[in-house]
Amino acid sequence: MINANDEELTRDAVAVMGRTRDPRMREIMVSLVRHLHAFVRDVRLTEVEFREATGILNEIGKLTNDTHNEAVLMAGSLGVSALVCLLNNGDNGTTETMQSLLGPFWRLNSPRTENGGSIVRSPTPGEPLFVSGRVVDRAGRPIAGAEVDIWHSSPVGLYENQDPGQADMNLLGKFTSDAEGRFWFSTVKMVGYPIPIDGVVGRLLKAQDRHPYRPAHLHALIFKPGFKTLISQVYDPADPHIDTDVQFGVTKALMGDYLRHAEPRPGDPTAATPWYSLDYTYVMEPGEATLPRPPIK
Ligand SMILES: [Fe+2]
């Protein structure tokens, strides 16, 4: 433990991590310290920068509370959240997956809504959107009786709990897939929105000339015993930020066919024009049906 130089210090620190009792924790700590030391060498971290770095970590903690999580925001803004998602789904990252990030706005106990119903619960000016979803297994067989939680931002880019103008649970709903695995509902077309930029993450984005926007998307959480709970986001390819999602969440598998229709909706004279449609097939992977802890109440 009395080291002659920095190489010996690293060897020592890695050896100490190697004595961690739990095998998985040992694996993580050994690798973490190896990579951390290599990183410090790589950038020749100065003493001033090191003090700044510890200050930033402390600030991230202080900015985090019941309604805001700066650490999750930072992980997303560095692409780490999306990486963890891709590596842990789709056969450990080897095949396409519809899994995506949960985000901060999923709520337990969304209002139960019949198929064909609307999730617009207070006046929400916007263009109508008709969503038709299908839940299938990997062989394409329909999954009936899946519980489908849906939520999305408003046509001005705000979720109900961020916007006093929206009713509680506006643009949220819980559906059950029918015998063909289908669920369907009407809503209004959402738009993309900025992530909070009043903290550490905002300073990072500014330093990199990055905009804070996420492209427009529809959230879903699909629960069915026998399958891994599917947490998904389906993106609008026409969104101006589709190529530059601040959270790196967009994948090819998550592109939705949000179609704009200028003509009246067939058989539905009440629907305003233009209107949008979205048809999307959600493929559930084998695994455990567990629910995440809701980020908000
Ligand atoms: Fe979202």
Side-chain angles (χ1 to χ4, degrees):
M1 279 292 205
I2 298 168
N3 303 305
N5 56 42
D6 64 287
E7 296 293 340
E8 284 189 21
L9 161 72
T10 296
R11 213 177 309 142
D12 246 2
V14 171
V16 167
M17 299 302 121
R19 297 203 286 269
T20 309
R21 225 176 302 121
D22 178 79
R24 176 59 178 159
M25 187 176 169
R26 185 189 317 136
E27 183 185 7
I28 289 172
M29 293 312 299
V30 166
S31 178
L32 175 68
V33 167
R34 259 201 203 117
H35 282 88
L36 269 180
H37 283 227
F39 160 72
V40 169
R41 280 197 180 86
D42 187 35
V43 300
R44 303 295 304 184
L45 200 70
T46 68
E47 289 158 311
V48 170
E49 288 163 344
F50 176 66
R51 281 194 288 272
E52 268 179 43
T54 52
I56 285 169
L57 286 177
N58 291 336
E59 196 181 341
I60 287 173
K62 284 182 192 154
L63 286 168
T64 297
N65 54 45
D66 286 345
T67 57
H68 176 85
N69 193 322
E70 190 78 4
V72 169
L73 212 53
M74 181 59 90
S77 304
L78 297 175
V80 175
S81 314
L83 175 63
V84 171
C85 176
L86 287 179
L87 286 178
N88 283 281
N89 293 288
D91 298 307
N92 297 322
T94 59
T95 59
E96 206 172 60
T97 183
M98 271 109 193
Q99 289 280 0
S100 186
L101 309 173
L102 179 66
F105 297 118
W106 175 64
R107 294 175 68 181
L108 268 182
N109 307 319
S110 299
R112 222 163 241 297
T113 312
E114 289 300 311
N115 278 316
S118 171
I119 58 171
V120 179
R121 305 185 193 282
S122 61
T124 314
E127 292 162 330
L129 168 65
F130 297 89
V131 176
S132 169
R134 201 158 165 258
V135 189
V136 300
D137 67 12
R138 278 186 155 167
R141 288 178 298 232
I143 299 176
E147 303 268 285
V148 183
D149 276 12
I150 290 290
W151 68 107
H152 67 82
S153 67
S154 74
V156 296
L158 292 170
Y159 287 84
E160 40 98 42
N161 72 318
Q162 300 175 301
D163 182 1
Q166 292 183 53
D168 188 43
M169 300 282 186
N170 191 40
L171 311 182
L172 275 77
K174 189 188 282 293
F175 299 85
T176 305
S177 63
D178 71 6
E180 269 85 54
R182 294 185 184 280
F183 65 93
W184 62 99
F185 60 92
S186 62
T187 183
V188 283
K189 177 73 173 58
M190 72 294 282
V191 295
Y193 55 85
I195 61 168
I197 48 166
D198 48 358
V200 176
V201 170
R203 297 208 300 275
L204 173 72
L205 299 185
K206 204 165 174 207
Q208 298 174 331
D209 297 319
R210 287 165 68 186
H211 68 72
Y213 282 86
R214 303 218 62 228
H217 54 272
L218 178 74
H219 287 275
L221 183 148
I222 307 182
F223 180 88
K224 171 81 185 182
F227 296 92
K228 180 166 179 178
T229 302
L230 177 53
I231 294 167
S232 196
Q233 296 187 22
V234 177
Y235 296 95
D236 179 0
D239 190 286
H241 302 115
I242 192 70
D243 288 335
T244 54
D245 177 11
V246 68
Q247 298 287 286
F248 300 96
V250 180
T251 65
K252 286 183 179 165
L254 297 173
M255 292 292 207
D257 63 340
Y258 290 82
L259 298 179
R260 188 175 183 275
H261 305 268
E263 74 285 1
R265 187 166 183 251
D268 186 1
T270 60
T273 51
W275 55 280
Y276 285 81
S277 62
L278 168 67
D279 290 299
Y280 190 79
T281 299
Y282 294 89
V283 180
M284 295 191 85
E285 300 175 26
E288 231 188 302
T290 54
L291 285 180
R293 181 151 24 120
I296 53 172
K297 291 214 173 99

